[in-house]
Amino acid sequence: MEGTQGLPLEVRLSAYLDGQLTQSEVREIDGILARDEKARTLFNRLKLGSDLGRQAFEDMLHEPVPLDLVRSIKQASIELGHERGPAMKVLPPKEAPARDDRARLAAAGLALLLAGTGAGYLLGIWKPPLAAPAAQTETARNWLDDVADYHSLYASQSRHLVEVPASESPHITQWLTKVVGVDFTIPDLSDSGLSFEGARLLLAGGRPTGQLVYRDAEGQVFAVCFQKADPGSARTEPTGTIRNGLNLVSWQDRNASFVFVGPSSEPELDALAAMVAQTI
């Protein structure tokens, strides 16, 4: 796709979702999403609409074919065979109805495609109520999935594990507090055998997210991630879930969302998460 500068933000975000932008424009859109809450809200609505539209289209494809349509196809095939005969004669003009049946089938397929695309667009521009459980579930799923994907990527790095090293902890606190919008204290987990390595800035669920990275004596990587939650969000207790072979313990407090990430084989992860929740 050609450059989208100057086009409406909805068009640019749609191209961003479809992976049609150049690297420079991707970085530009990442910056817009990081600093503009209205852009993040629009992005989440478009992404939700795209996902639901795609699912609706998939469901339509698995619907049973109407019986009258099946009979029409079979009847057309029988008539076509009778007209052709053993010598496979060229079809005369009177068999136009059979061609019409095939044309109707093609048109029906096109209608299904347009219906799926249109449903995705309409769902994308529809703004659900803030209290809608489906929208909240989708947002939570995206934020945790993104965190798990980022963790899987960075945990495999050695030289580039973090963006800012632990030696610059005061800068990390000031930097992430300003960008993410969440006041925090870097948890000291050294008594539990985890050394603080440094921090990164991520984009998870369409929102800027801070990531504090730790490593144990065996080289396993753990992380605390946090982002600003919707105003008035209720406080929740830590809850565990598994994604990409990782154990994620997430909770909400002080209008912020938190998650502690580590290997699924770590038996003390829940206790570590509880300690983080008390000290961060």
Side-chain angles (χ1 to χ4, degrees):
M1 182 175 183
E2 297 180 357
T4 62
Q5 284 88 352
L7 295 178
L9 183 58
E10 292 87 345
V11 176
R12 304 193 71 191
L13 289 176
S14 295
Y16 177 86
L17 279 171
D18 294 338
Q20 297 179 348
L21 298 182
T22 62
Q23 287 298 320
S24 61
E25 284 199 89
V26 167
R27 289 192 293 270
E28 180 184 351
I29 295 297
D30 285 342
I32 292 174
L33 292 175
R35 64 177 181 269
D36 190 334
E37 187 168 354
K38 290 184 178 179
R40 291 194 299 272
T41 300
L42 177 58
F43 172 81
N44 287 330
R45 287 163 53 195
L46 288 173
K47 189 173 191 305
L48 175 61
S50 177
D51 292 343
L52 292 180
R54 188 181 303 108
Q55 184 59 51
F57 184 46
E58 289 293 331
D59 293 342
M60 290 171 64
L61 292 178
H62 290 88
E63 287 291 325
V65 179
L67 183 58
D68 57 347
L69 180 58
V70 174
R71 288 172 175 169
S72 297
I73 296 172
K74 288 183 177 180
Q75 184 62 33
S77 300
I78 294 173
E79 293 177 357
L80 183 60
H82 288 166
E83 292 293 342
R84 286 185 174 179
M88 296 298 288
K89 297 179 180 178
V90 177
L91 296 179
K94 68 179 181 179
E95 292 185 12
R99 290 195 298 272
D100 289 344
D101 287 335
R102 292 194 295 274
R104 284 195 294 271
L105 289 175
L110 179 58
L112 285 174
L113 177 60
L114 292 176
T117 305
Y121 175 75
L122 290 175
L123 288 169
I125 63 175
W126 172 67
K127 185 177 182 180
L130 291 178
Q136 291 180 350
T137 301
E138 183 71 12
T139 300
R141 184 186 68 82
N142 285 340
W143 125 264
L144 293 181
D145 282 345
D146 288 345
V147 165
D149 289 342
Y150 274 119
H151 189 92
S152 299
L153 174 64
Y154 292 130
S156 64
Q157 303 297 308
S158 54
R159 184 176 177 181
H160 302 287
L161 177 63
V162 297
E163 187 175 357
V164 180
S167 59
E168 299 184 42
S169 292
H171 170 65
I172 289 174
T173 303
Q174 182 181 18
W175 167 50
L176 292 182
T177 297
K178 180 179 179 181
V179 177
V180 178
V182 175
D183 293 324
F184 70 98
T185 300
I186 299 175
D188 182 0
L189 303 178
S190 56
D191 289 344
S192 300
L194 299 183
S195 62
F196 180 54
E197 299 293 320
R200 282 186 173 276
L201 177 65
L202 314 176
L203 188 67
R207 296 186 178 183
T209 303
Q211 182 189 48
L212 309 177
V213 182
Y214 297 79
R215 187 151 41 190
D216 66 9
E218 299 176 355
Q220 296 187 108
V221 177
F222 299 74
V224 182
C225 296
F226 53 92
Q227 64 173 222
K228 194 171 184 179
D230 293 327
S233 296
R235 181 181 181 277
T236 62
E237 294 297 325
T239 303
T241 185
I242 300 293
R243 280 175 168 79
N244 294 354
L246 299 169
N247 194 349
L248 292 83
V249 180
S250 59
W251 67 96
Q252 286 199 161
D253 194 15
R254 311 191 317 265
N255 285 333
S257 298
F258 301 88
V259 61
F260 185 66
V261 189
S264 59
S265 58
E266 174 54 53
E268 301 297 325
L269 198 75
D270 288 343
L272 289 170
M275 185 183 305
V276 170
Q278 293 176 357
T279 58
I280 195 169

